[in-house]
Amino acid sequence: EAFSEAVCSTCEGYHCGEGQECVMMDMDDDPADKETPTCVEKQTGCDNNDRCGENGLCVPVGSDGYECECGEGFEFSTVTGSCIPVHTIWRTVYGEPVSGDDAISYAECNAGEVVMRCHTFGALSAEDGVYISTGEKNTV
């Protein structure tokens, strides 16, 4: 600690191991002394992650996991991976199995239900041709 503080006063040029990054940290929680460059595990769980939505704040967990700090009246659901209203009752709806480049599968929710998360299985990404329709004319 004393050596790195004397030799390296910033993270510039400081080399960390695979899966780590340099951050400046106060090693003893004494605000009077300087911060020291320190290697910590890279946390990518919140990179390009908008699953917490407008009612939550993404908090990285481990190297690539995350949890949401949810606002008042909401709670983090490990099943949906997002903030949902407290006491939410939800169910999983599956479309019929289909195949082919232009395959279309339908799944329906009852009136008053809201789509919380949509998955495709076997597709390259959940953004690959997934559309959610409210059933109203010209609304997708």
Side-chain angles (χ1 to χ4, degrees):
E1 180 181 318
F3 175 76
S4 64
E5 188 174 306
V7 176
C8 303
S9 58
T10 69
C11 280
E12 187 175 332
Y14 201 84
H15 298 285
C16 294
E18 181 79 24
Q20 295 184 326
E21 64 185 343
C22 182
V23 296
M24 298 299 291
M25 291 182 72
D26 186 350
M27 300 305 286
D28 58 9
D29 295 326
D30 179 1
D33 61 1
K34 293 176 18 177
E35 292 182 330
T36 305
T38 307
C39 291
V40 297
E41 182 179 35
K42 277 186 185 175
Q43 296 179 318
T44 60
C46 291
D47 293 357
N48 301 317
N49 181 345
D50 62 354
R51 292 184 194 151
C52 297
E54 61 188 39
N55 298 304
L57 175 67
C58 189
V59 178
V61 176
S63 62
D64 59 359
Y66 76 97
E67 285 187 356
C68 301
E69 284 184 3
C70 302
E72 189 174 335
F74 292 83
E75 62 188 352
F76 179 69
S77 166
T78 56
V79 176
T80 63
S82 59
C83 291
I84 60 174
V86 174
H87 308 300
T88 296
I89 298 172
W90 60 274
R91 65 188 180 97
T92 303
V93 179
Y94 296 98
E96 67 277 358
V98 295
S99 62
D101 290 340
D102 57 352
I104 298 175
S105 177
Y106 295 94
E108 294 185 12
C109 296
N110 296 324
E113 292 179 331
V114 176
V115 175
M116 304 261 325
R117 189 177 233 180
C118 189
H119 293 282
T120 58
F121 297 97
L124 295 177
S125 76
E127 297 172 358
D128 184 25
V130 175
Y131 298 96
I132 300 172
S133 171
T134 63
E136 298 173 18
K137 188 176 182 181
N138 300 325
T139 304
V140 176

